[in-house]
Amino acid sequence: MSSLLCSNFEIVCDQLGYPEGPVYMQDGSVLLVEIKNQQLTRVSPQGDKTLVAKIAGGPNGAAIGPDGQVYICNSGGFEWLPVPLPKQTLFIGTGKSPEYKGGSIDKVNLATANVETLYTSCHTGRRLNMIKMQWQDQPLTPEFALRGPDDLVFDSKGGLWFTDWGKDDGRARDITGIYYAAADGTSIKQMVFPLNAPNGIALSPDGKRLYTVETYTRRLLYWELSAPGEIAPNPNSLDGTYLLTGFEGQAIYDSMAVDELGNLYLATMLPQGNNPYSNGGITVVSPEGEVLEYIEINLGEGLYAPLPSNICFGGEDNKTAYITLGASGMLVKAQMKNAGLTLAFNG
């Protein structure tokens, strides 16, 4: 099979503070969050950077909502470990923060730069009645505080799916899940629990399948949806989960995007293990679970991309992949064979 990559990777801009959550805008710019710098930034097609809003904590994922504003998964922040290399300095998040005050879902008004916090906790969860094969709402006691919201995606009705990646203290790690929330801040439900570091999240082109990947277990999971915000029962699992595939090797996985054919593009970190002098890439997986291709992100001699963090599609034909390189502090782009899926409120 011919490669899904049609061009070499080009650096759009650098000196970003651990970029994540790229969103392609109709004027050709890319919005992204800088976790380390605690801000939302706009990058022009020429690579110029403009501060949109400061966001305390750790802005991680971003998406345009039904009101045209930017919704942010706020992880609460991380400690940062500098890794100096001959031609660049990498910054790696440790997974914990001494200033951590909790995670949240925030909204940024693009006109005023006002940041509004919508959710910091959840008090309702879902449980499957295995006899009736029906979902039932139940109170979460105590109310569950959001720990480290990571990535988000809107469905066509304006509902917000997001993952909570959690936090760790070096010895213990949170067990978290997936949530579904209203964009106006009035309703939130825990839809899947427990999961181990769920990271990227995406919907299939028809909106009937929800995907996530667990960073460290290397499991790519999905759920069939019977309606917006409704997981269909799966007789073979307690929470409706299906395993699409499990990855071999040493790589760990971050966020994802989907192309118009339903293939998944997963940001893939450290395929050679904990080696900063290495390149991560994008793993492309079909809806049937076949790994179609691994695309290494090669920037040339002396520059490394060990921790690609996220990907979105844009450009006139929606075939330009924009990829944030977290530790490297860069936004890069390349042409792909397939067009990306147009997101619900970003068309």
Side-chain angles (χ1 to χ4, degrees), residues 5 9 19-24 30-31 60 62 151-152 200-202 254-259 263-268 281-284 295 297 308-314 319-325 331-336 338 340-341 343:
L5 178 68
F9 289 94
E20 241 276 18
V23 178
Y24 182 80
V30 175
L31 288 175
N60 202 92
D151 201 7
L152 68 168
I201 191 165
D254 207 315
S255 295
M256 65 177 73
V258 178
D259 71 19
N263 300 314
L264 297 159
Y265 293 63
L266 280 71
T268 305
I282 301 296
T283 301
V284 186
I295 302 170
I297 299 173
S309 55
N310 207 335
I311 177 174
C312 74
F313 284 89
K319 291 184 178 180
T320 303
Y322 291 89
I323 301 167
T324 49
L325 305 183
L331 175 68
V332 301
K333 67 179 181 179
Q335 290 297 116
M336 296 291 177
N338 297 333
L341 176 66
L343 300 179

Side-chain angles (χ1 to χ4, degrees), residues 171-226:
R171 299 290 295 179
R173 153 153 280 283
D174 292 327
I175 297 298
T176 55
I178 292 177
Y179 297 80
Y180 187 72
D184 61 4
T186 61
S187 174
I188 181 172
K189 290 182 181 181
Q190 179 180 272
M191 302 298 290
V192 182
F193 179 89
L195 293 173
N196 186 342
N199 203 311
I201 191 165
L203 288 164
S204 60
D206 62 6
K208 295 182 179 180
R209 184 182 280 190
L210 178 74
Y211 294 99
T212 196
V213 65
E214 292 181 322
T215 297
Y216 302 115
T217 69
R218 306 175 179 90
R219 297 194 307 164
L220 181 55
L221 308 172
Y222 73 93
W223 295 263
E224 299 289 356
L225 303 181
S226 56

Side-chain angles (χ1 to χ4, degrees), residues 23-27 64-65 68 313 315 318 340-347:
V23 178
Y24 182 80
M25 304 297 286
Q26 296 309 302
D27 63 359
I64 302 296
F313 284 89
N318 217 29
L341 176 66
T342 300
L343 300 179
F345 300 99
N346 203 36

Side-chain angles (χ1 to χ4, degrees), residues 153-189:
V153 64
F154 280 95
D155 63 26
S156 62
K157 299 298 184 181
L160 168 61
W161 290 96
F162 71 92
T163 55
D164 191 324
W165 191 76
K167 289 286 186 179
D168 68 63
D169 64 4
R171 299 290 295 179
R173 153 153 280 283
D174 292 327
I175 297 298
T176 55
I178 292 177
Y179 297 80
Y180 187 72
D184 61 4
T186 61
S187 174
I188 181 172
K189 290 182 181 181

Side-chain angles (χ1 to χ4, degrees), residues 209 211 222 243-245 261-263 285-292:
R209 184 182 280 190
Y211 294 99
Y222 73 93
L243 174 65
L244 186 64
T245 191
L261 302 179
N263 300 314
V285 182
S286 77
E288 294 73 38
E290 178 187 0
V291 177
L292 301 177

Side-chain angles (χ1 to χ4, degrees), residues 52-63:
V52 177
K54 296 294 291 185
I55 305 172
N60 202 92

